Amino acid sequence: MSLKPDPNRPLNQDSPSNPNLLSPAQAADLQQRAIAVAHHAYAPYSHFRVGAAVLLSDGTIVTGCNVENASYRLTVCAEQAAIATAVSLHGPQIRIRAIAVANLNDTASQPCGACRQTIHEFSTPDTIVFFPGEGATIAQTTIADLLPAAFLLTNS
């Protein structure tokens, strides 16, 4: 996991063999879309507004934001909102090439466990995950590194 990226290397160049690598411009665009949609978040309780931008394998970008509920358990995370929208628009066969998560609180925050599992469900091991890191950096990793022991079921 790359929590403090080398400033001399583009954000997503950890593994040249990763087919999901993005250009610096693509990574920046995905991050900007996540920030933009975070402004639409409904977060009257925590005031922690989060946005997510999902780049699908076909090149489509879908966004989502968190939607809180007075019963905190019913809150929908930005990552899950974006993925649900992608499935609604493009069907259950979607595959995520990369996902960027941003918040408007300037706080380091990785996707929660439930979001990691949801991202994993529609990803390959090399799917890139960008998220707010320490010191106002953009951290990145792959979903396999972020969730090494994913819950898996086989369709029978």
Side-chain angles (χ1 to χ4, degrees):
M1 189 176 328
S2 175
L3 292 178
K4 291 195 175 188
D6 179 345
N8 298 316
R9 187 179 68 220
L11 281 175
N12 54 357
Q13 300 299 313
D14 283 344
S15 170
S17 63
N18 183 344
N20 292 327
L21 291 179
L22 279 66
S23 71
Q26 288 173 309
D29 178 57
L30 206 58
Q31 194 65 34
Q32 286 304 311
R33 289 177 190 236
I35 292 168
V37 75
H39 287 278
H40 296 284
Y42 177 72
Y45 308 106
S46 72
H47 307 288
F48 196 73
R49 297 183 297 166
V50 181
V54 176
L55 173 62
L56 301 178
S57 59
D58 70 0
T60 303
I61 297 175
V62 180
T63 61
C65 61
N66 61 316
V67 178
E68 291 183 349
N69 188 285
S71 170
Y72 280 103
R73 171 57 186 93
L74 299 178
T75 293
V76 176
C77 295
E79 300 92 326
Q80 292 187 19
I83 293 168
T85 298
V87 171
S88 296
L89 293 172
H90 302 283
Q93 75 285 353
I94 65 156
R95 287 294 161 257
I96 300 171
R97 182 174 168 201
I99 182 169
V101 182
N103 67 65
L104 303 182
N105 299 72
D106 297 322
T107 303
S109 60
Q110 298 179 4
C112 73
C115 287
R116 293 176 193 203
Q117 184 66 45
T118 303
I119 294 165
H120 185 279
E121 187 78 15
F122 296 98
S123 295
T124 66
D126 291 331
T127 293
I128 299 167
V129 182
F130 298 100
F131 54 91
E134 295 292 330
T137 62
I138 303 299
Q140 69 143 54
T141 189
T142 63
I143 191 60
D145 287 339
L146 196 57
L147 187 64
F151 184 77
L152 302 170
L153 290 177
T154 57
N155 291 332
S156 326

